[in-house]
Amino acid sequence: MDLDALISGAREGRPRAVARLISMVENGSPRLREITAALCADRPNRARIIGLTGSPGVGKSTSTGMLVQAFRKRGLRVGVLAVDPSSPFTGGALLGDRVRMQDHATDPEVFIRSMASRGHLGGLSWAAPQALRVLEAAGCEVILVETVGVGQAEVEIASMADSTIVLLAPGMGDGVQAAKAGILEIADVFVVNKADRDGAQTAIRELRNMIALVERDWKPPIVPTVAYRGEGGEDVVEALDKHLAYLQESGELERRRQARARDEIEAIALAALRSRFADLHGDRRLDALATRVRESGLDPYTAADELLAALG
Amino acid sequence: MDLDALISGAREGRPRAVARLISMVENGSPRLREITAALCADRPNRARIIGLTGSPGVGKSTSTGMLVQAFRKRGLRVGVLAVDPSSPFTGGALLGDRVRMQDHATDPEVFIRSMASRGHLGGLSWAAPQALRVLEAAGCEVILVETVGVGQAEVEIASMADSTIVLLAPGMGDGVQAAKAGILEIADVFVVNKADRDGAQTAIRELRNMIALVERDWKPPIVPTVAYRGEGGEDVVEALDKHLAYLQESGELERRRQARARDEIEAIALAALRSRFADLHGDRRLDALATRVRESGLDPYTAADELLAALG
């Protein structure tokens, strides 16, 4: 298969080429490095990356659909990367949820893609940066990264995005949950969806009280929405714009993007080291050191030093 | 504080010295390396290490207590390392459970110690090998490592132990759970505790059917016990003895211990590399590479190569 043709296709915004490249990246193609190099050399404009996270049932997909629409109204080309730790896009219960996004399925300026975060060490961090590069090459100006808010994922998404939206819904005990999961530190914009339901005002009030307690230069705004009726999408985009302005003025945007680049380089370097170690499993040096630890009173720290010296 | 005195104290089997050293190891003392080197140079006899794992509620602590008693009857000095991913020994709900072990609290030939597996990367593997060395230095001939069977922990315990006991109880849906968690591959001895309850025979039968399906040289025996009445302890020890004989005859004991030493060296070397990387966070080289990735079209793989070359 001709990689150059695929990459040209992606640059021209052809959905098949984009999809194919993301699949290659996601499946750890042997040509991953080559693909990444080509995408980087291209130096496309960096997209604005917006993370969206929340517990199951708060209305993530519907909200994502609403935001896509709001950004499209501004004439922007939009990418969606839906990262699900368990199910792929097309599988099982999620499918129903996704129907709303089909509204955009025929819009050539919208690229929607799901990725399974296969439980890799580092989860998202592995393939997602390259998938974002593919979408950037395809000319996306805004990319929404949607993920279920469980454990690690939120923190990872926040480290990858310029702005992170945390989605809540009334009556799910989300207030407590938010405080517990350290979400207050990572949310740049809170969206309380299903704001037409009982308890929405209470949820907003509780959230406001919690936010007041956190020491941050940026106080995350709380935006009520009713995503299934399309209410509040513009307000969310306005809140995101204010956050972007804050990021730019404070120099935080530069810092976040620089940190992201550092993290990515480190993650790749660590993965490379780990695979060198894996190669050593069949290596006699490690085996000899292990024997000396077991039989000659060598301590494992000194053995590790010797191993690293041998690797050097 | 005098490290030599502490280590001498541990060698003489003084509980306070043993406890203090394990605390130092567990808390990542700056003298960890020194302590480990001293313990290794000492070359104590290696203890027989027995892992014991199972879901909450199957009776792990009571079973551990019963096994301590059985080994004490044979005149062996016994160590217990209770690794709990959430609560320390003295905290909360576990305390009641632990009361039974107080039977041994005044026996100078029994050392009981709990460790919290603080969610370190690598969990158990971090401090547990050194804690085992401390107990070996104190002359323990058998060490029971008890852990709650959740996720990673079982696999880790199996990699650390000569023999692994998986504890089940009837009526907890453990059959299905066992198959799911890959427990069939790591169990060397199955113990069905609470064997006086309804469903015990069914559980044993189901388990036997599942074991029959697994391709392993060693077919793990199933031992019924009623730990709170002390019934079956001798049978478990006999099953463990048979497994030990199998390990010795097949050469598997050597292989397991060698693999354990290799894993430990690797884990320490990886941790050392990770901390070198952490140091780099403030380093200009990584920052310069990140800037080139962001601004000059350098790809992150090449950047990682350069970083590793600089580390070398």
Side-chain angles (χ1 to χ4, degrees):
Chain A
M1 161 205 27
D2 188 350
L3 199 57
D4 289 343
L6 266 183
I7 288 173
S8 306
R11 280 180 197 145
E12 290 159 18
R14 291 201 200 126
R16 283 221 178 157
V18 171
R20 183 92 191 84
L21 278 175
I22 295 183
S23 295
M24 289 173 77
V25 158
E26 188 182 11
N27 298 326
S29 157
R31 303 184 77 178
L32 178 59
R33 188 178 174 136
E34 214 179 322
I35 295 168
T36 306
L39 294 171
C40 287
D42 200 32
R43 285 203 259 167
N45 289 318
R46 298 245 65 175
R48 188 172 162 190
I49 297 173
I50 295 167
L52 192 146
T53 187
S55 308
V58 294
K60 278 185 300 300
S61 304
T62 323
S63 299
T64 299
M66 180 176 72
L67 288 177
V68 169
Q69 202 159 6
F71 282 117
R72 285 297 298 125
K73 269 195 198 159
R74 300 187 173 198
L76 297 171
R77 186 174 282 199
V78 184
V80 174
L81 202 61
V83 186
D84 189 287
S86 55
S87 354
F89 196 53
T90 49
L94 273 178
L95 198 59
D97 256 53
R98 297 290 169 171
V99 170
R100 282 170 201 285
M101 280 219 234
Q102 306 299 328
D103 298 349
H104 307 288
T106 53
D107 183 341
E109 303 290 317
V110 178
F111 296 84
I112 300 175
R113 173 66 191 216
S114 77
M115 279 174 80
S117 78
R118 300 256 164 74
H120 277 298
L121 204 85
L124 271 182
S125 52
W126 183 259
Q130 313 319 332
L132 293 176
R133 285 196 171 95
V134 175
L135 291 171
E136 281 173 342
C140 290
E141 295 158 287
V142 178
I143 302 174
L144 300 167
V145 184
E146 179 197 319
T147 187
V148 183
V150 240
Q152 263 299 85
E154 292 138 347
V155 182
E156 283 184 25
I157 208 174
S159 74
M160 229 162 36
D162 299 323
S163 303
T164 298
I165 300 172
V166 172
L167 209 67
L168 305 170
M172 299 183 67
D174 275 295
V176 181
Q177 211 181 343
K180 203 167 135 197
I183 268 181
L184 286 166
E185 273 72 34
I186 64 153
D188 299 311
V189 172
F190 278 104
V191 170
V192 175
N193 191 30
K194 306 185 183 181
D196 55 342
R197 291 206 184 163
D198 284 349
Q201 287 313 312
T202 314
I204 290 172
R205 202 174 330 113
E206 283 177 7
L207 197 53
R208 192 170 294 133
N209 291 339
M210 281 195 294
I211 291 169
L213 297 173
V214 180
E215 297 266 340
R216 270 180 72 180
D217 278 349
W218 170 258
K219 291 285 175 194
I222 305 170
V223 185
T225 62
V226 186
Y228 80 96
R229 288 205 302 253
E231 290 173 19
E234 286 298 323
D235 299 337
V236 177
V237 171
E238 271 168 37
L240 288 168
D241 284 347
K242 277 187 198 146
H243 184 244
L244 182 61
Y246 159 78
L247 289 175
Q248 284 165 332
E249 283 157 24
S250 62
E252 183 67 20
L253 187 66
E254 276 294 300
R255 275 195 295 275
R256 284 192 183 197
R257 291 186 167 186
Q258 181 75 0
R260 215 189 292 163
R262 278 201 309 262
D263 288 350
E264 188 187 10
I265 298 169
E266 273 197 339
I268 292 171
L270 262 178
L273 284 172
R274 221 175 277 122
S275 89
R276 283 193 211 167
F277 269 76
D279 292 344
L280 278 182
H281 262 296
D283 191 289
R284 282 197 204 131
R285 271 172 305 194
L286 178 56
D287 222 34
L289 287 167
T291 304
R292 283 169 60 203
V293 166
R294 291 179 55 220
E295 293 173 7
S296 319
L298 177 70
D299 75 272
Y301 288 88
T302 305
D305 286 346
E306 289 191 24
L307 184 68
L308 289 174
L311 267 179
Chain B
M1 161 204 28
D2 188 350
L3 198 58
D4 289 343
L6 266 182
I7 289 173
S8 307
R11 281 180 197 143
E12 289 158 18
R14 292 202 200 128
R16 283 220 177 158
V18 171
R20 183 91 190 85
L21 278 174
I22 295 183
S23 294
M24 289 172 77
V25 158
E26 188 182 9
N27 298 324
S29 158
R31 304 184 77 176
L32 178 59
R33 188 178 175 137
E34 214 180 321
I35 295 168
T36 307
L39 295 171
C40 286
D42 199 33
R43 284 203 259 167
N45 288 320
R46 298 245 65 176
R48 187 171 163 191
I49 297 173
I50 295 166
L52 192 147
T53 186
S55 308
V58 295
K60 278 185 301 299
S61 303
T62 325
S63 299
T64 300
M66 180 176 72
L67 288 177
V68 169
Q69 201 159 9
F71 282 116
R72 286 295 300 125
K73 268 195 199 157
R74 300 187 173 198
L76 297 172
R77 185 175 282 200
V78 184
V80 174
L81 202 60
V83 186
D84 190 288
S86 54
S87 357
F89 197 55
T90 48
L94 274 177
L95 198 60
D97 257 54
R98 297 292 168 166
V99 170
R100 281 172 200 285
M101 279 220 234
Q102 306 299 328
D103 297 351
H104 307 288
T106 52
D107 183 341
E109 303 290 316
V110 179
F111 297 84
I112 299 175
R113 173 66 191 217
S114 77
M115 278 175 80
S117 77
R118 300 255 165 74
H120 277 299
L121 204 85
L124 270 182
S125 51
W126 184 260
Q130 313 320 332
L132 293 176
R133 286 197 170 94
V134 175
L135 291 170
E136 281 174 342
C140 291
E141 295 159 287
V142 178
I143 301 174
L144 300 167
V145 184
E146 179 196 320
T147 188
V148 182
V150 240
Q152 263 298 87
E154 292 138 349
V155 181
E156 284 184 25
I157 209 175
S159 75
M160 229 161 36
D162 298 324
S163 303
T164 298
I165 301 171
V166 172
L167 209 66
L168 305 171
M172 298 184 65
D174 275 295
V176 181
Q177 211 182 344
K180 203 168 135 197
I183 267 180
L184 286 166
E185 273 72 34
I186 64 155
D188 299 310
V189 173
F190 277 105
V191 171
V192 175
N193 191 31
K194 307 186 181 180
D196 54 344
R197 291 207 186 163
D198 284 350
Q201 288 312 312
T202 313
I204 291 172
R205 201 173 332 111
E206 283 178 6
L207 197 53
R208 192 171 292 134
N209 291 340
M210 281 196 292
I211 291 169
L213 297 173
V214 180
E215 297 268 339
R216 272 179 72 180
D217 278 350
W218 171 258
K219 292 283 175 196
I222 304 170
V223 185
T225 61
V226 186
Y228 81 97
R229 288 206 303 254
E231 290 174 20
E234 285 298 324
D235 300 337
V236 178
V237 171
E238 271 169 36
L240 288 168
D241 283 347
K242 277 187 197 146
H243 184 244
L244 182 62
Y246 159 78
L247 289 175
Q248 283 165 333
E249 283 158 23
S250 63
E252 183 66 20
L253 188 65
E254 276 294 300
R255 275 195 295 275
R256 284 192 184 197
R257 291 186 167 185
Q258 181 75 0
R260 216 189 292 161
R262 277 201 309 264
D263 288 349
E264 188 188 9
I265 297 169
E266 273 199 336
I268 291 170
L270 262 179
L273 284 172
R274 222 176 276 122
S275 88
R276 282 192 212 168
F277 269 75
D279 292 345
L280 278 182
H281 261 297
D283 191 288
R284 282 195 205 133
R285 271 173 306 194
L286 178 55
D287 222 34
L289 287 167
T291 303
R292 283 170 59 203
V293 167
R294 292 179 54 219
E295 293 172 7
S296 318
L298 178 71
D299 76 272
Y301 288 88
T302 305
D305 286 347
E306 289 190 24
L307 184 68
L308 289 174
L311 267 179

